[in-house]
Amino acid sequence: MSGKKLFAIVVILVLATAAWFALAGSVVVRTEGSRGDLGAEVSGLWGTPQTQMAPSFTSTSTVAPARLDGSDIGVKLSLDQRRKGLMWYSTYVADFAAKYKVTNPADAKQTLKMNFPFPDSQGVYDGFTVAVDGRESDVRYVNGSAIAEFEVPAGKTVTVATGYRANGMESWQYQPSPDGAGVVRNFKLVTTTDFDNIDYPENGTSPGNRVREGDGWKLTWEYKSVVSGRSAGVVMPTPMNPGPLVSRITFFAPVSLLFFFAALVLLTATSGVRLHPVHYGFLAAAFFSFDLLLAYLADRVDINVAFAIAAVTSVALVLGYLRVVVGQSRALFEIGVSQFVFLVLFAYSFFFEGYTGLAITIGSVLTLAYFMTKTAHVDWETVFVPKTPNQPPAQPPA
């Protein structure tokens, strides 16, 4: 292969790289648009990340403050993930129920006031009630909080029960000490989920007990007496987001084409197959079709289905084209395997977040070993030397 042909192939690679970067940029713009506009739309319909603060109990007199002596809380989280455009959103339904032991330490009857702040002042809380020792109490609502007042005899403890059903997104947390680090007595929180993949919020506490229950978990936080200002809760699992995944695959696509072109140069040089730079241009376009299809199918169908359609289309274009160019030969089979490795497997490695670099490294080393073995006996002095065309026979003198 001449130096001019190698230079032409490099130019094709550079132009293809520019096209891929432009496509990746458009995917990033579409993803950010989905994250902003559609995220606000989903949040408006399903609520925000929920953090339920513990209620405060105060007395209407200054004789003695009310005392929260126990909290028995249960929440059931039902996952209902939603997809908008190129992004997934982990929406859920929370069924919250709590019982609080409230003591009047004074020697006289007092009127105690409960201030129960809702996680989101703009949220919808279905079935909210407040009952004191089984008797429903009147409630008024001020600035995103529920206010209830009730009388407690001297030295007595009452049970205040409350609960609601609400929608949320991404995470649910309970903050047992609303004023920062404080003493939490006889605290128990039981969270049940209908999903398996669970995580915990940053700066939160993990449960002391985890038990499998159906398709999900039963998580229990329980303290006799602890000083803490940290919350307890769960972060919802999120499926792989198509937008960021497709943009990463597209940004790294030129690397896959570089590997493929290098393999193609070696295969054609050692098998006697001759390809023109125009052939390389069409092959680069077939590679580009994979990412183009993936970018515009990912927000319409499942990401795995989009990947399969794009991969089959690109491989069919390359093999169908080269079958005409080089015919049915061993070189065609080896080129097909090279495309599968450098395009399909290379791109699919991005589905395994955290292992992409390792997968690419292993694939590159194995490919290098294969080509070193295949070309070990090749006389490179003669492979890239242009062949001298046959001279026409000399004409006899007139």
Side-chain angles (χ1 to χ4, degrees), residues 57 114 123 146 175 183 239 271 306 379 393:
F57 295 91
M114 180 186 77
Q175 177 58 264
V183 179
S271 61
D379 184 1

Side-chain angles (χ1 to χ4, degrees), residues 2-12:
S2 66
K4 290 183 179 179
K5 287 186 178 180
L6 285 175
F7 177 75
I9 294 172
V10 171
V11 171
I12 292 170

Side-chain angles (χ1 to χ4, degrees), residues 42 55 79 82 90 128 140-141 144 148 160 162 173-174 217 240 243 266 268 297 319 345 348 359 365:
V42 174
L79 190 64
R82 300 300 174 101
S90 295
F128 179 79
R140 54 191 175 92
Y141 302 93
V160 180
T162 187
Q173 300 181 66
Y174 186 85
W217 292 90
M240 186 174 295
L266 291 175
T268 55
L297 283 174
L319 294 184
L345 294 185
Y348 199 70
V365 171

Side-chain angles (χ1 to χ4, degrees), residues 279-291:
H279 296 140
Y280 283 85
F282 280 115
L283 294 175
F287 260 60
F288 184 76
S289 69
F290 166 80
D291 295 281

Side-chain angles (χ1 to χ4, degrees), residues 4 21 53 63 91 128 165 277 329:
K4 290 183 179 179
F21 281 2
M53 309 292 288
V63 177
T91 55
F128 179 79
R165 180 183 178 90
S329 64

Side-chain angles (χ1 to χ4, degrees), residues 3 39 83 172 287 385:
R83 175 177 161 177
W172 187 92
F287 260 60
V385 175

